[in-house]
Amino acid sequence: MNSVGEACTELKREYDQCFNRWFAEKFLKGESAGDPCGQLFKRYQLCVQKAIKEKDIPIEGLEFMGPSKGKTENSS
């Protein structure tokens, strides 16, 4: 599936590949420590946010998921 912004599609594919590899090779084997795809996710998230603004897509009232959801700045 393509991303909301054409410029973000390759970043989405890179993140999806990283996540799927981590999920299959680590998480399902009980190795859930670490966040090897976090930086890719952040780059993709910024790209999507920019595309949403450029396309004037209304997002008021929507909740977003991500690594920092529910965490404070000092949480680990």
Side-chain angles (χ1 to χ4, degrees), residues 20-59:
N20 290 334
R21 187 177 323 110
W22 168 81
F23 188 78
E25 296 175 7
K26 302 288 184 180
F27 184 79
L28 290 179
K29 295 177 182 175
E31 301 173 33
S32 60
D35 186 11
C37 307
Q39 290 301 315
L40 276 174
F41 179 80
K42 288 177 186 177
R43 287 177 41 215
Y44 173 58
Q45 186 179 43
L46 289 172
C47 187
V48 167
Q49 289 170 350
K50 181 180 175 189
I52 286 171
K53 286 180 186 175
E54 288 174 354
K55 294 181 177 204
D56 277 337
I57 298 172
I59 58 171

